[in-house]
């Protein structure tokens, strides 16, 4: 039986590239990133990949928002404040 995700490294690389391709001053939803990476319907995978990415990855993770345009972190949390700060820049 073939795995649903036969090439996780390729999928992760495609997600990272789709995030890198979000232009400065623009945002995209997790679902949009998944679709751009060729993985429609895999928004949660985008979240997992971003959570696993190390700081050396240099991804503009702050440009990825929920489908409704809100930040995915709990209001007031350190990650929420950091994402808000980066988006304001």
């Amino acid at each position: 039986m073939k795995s649903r995700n036969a090439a996780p490294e390729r999928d992760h690389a495609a997600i990272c590239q789709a995030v890198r391709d979000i232009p400065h001053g623009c945002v995209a939803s997790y679902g949009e990133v998944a679709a751009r990476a060729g993985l429609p319907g895999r928004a949660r995978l985008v979240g997992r990949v971003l959570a696993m990415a190390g700081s050396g990855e240099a991804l503009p993770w702050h440009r990825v928002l929920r489908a409704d345009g809100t930040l995915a972190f709990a209001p007031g949390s350190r990650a929420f404040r950091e994402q808000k700060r980066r988006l304001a820049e």
Side-chain angles (χ1 to χ4, degrees):
M1 177 177 209
K2 200 170 190 179
S3 166
R4 177 178 175 187
N5 193 358
E9 296 86 15
R10 184 176 53 220
D11 292 351
H12 289 206
I15 288 168
C16 290
Q17 188 58 53
V19 171
R20 281 188 207 97
D21 289 344
I22 301 170
H24 181 80
C26 296
V27 296
S29 71
Y30 290 91
E32 289 170 336
V33 170
R36 291 176 188 173
L39 301 162
R42 303 297 307 272
R44 288 180 185 226
L45 178 60
V46 173
R48 285 194 300 274
V49 169
L50 291 177
M52 291 178 357
S55 58
E57 201 68 54
L59 290 175
W61 59 268
H62 59 283
R63 297 180 188 154
V64 183
L65 306 175
R66 290 180 176 169
D68 65 2
T70 62
L71 306 185
F73 301 105
S77 69
R78 188 168 69 157
F80 181 91
R81 291 190 311 269
E82 177 66 16
Q83 186 172 20
K84 193 172 178 180
R85 182 190 67 76
R86 288 180 181 215
L87 286 170
E89 289 177 355

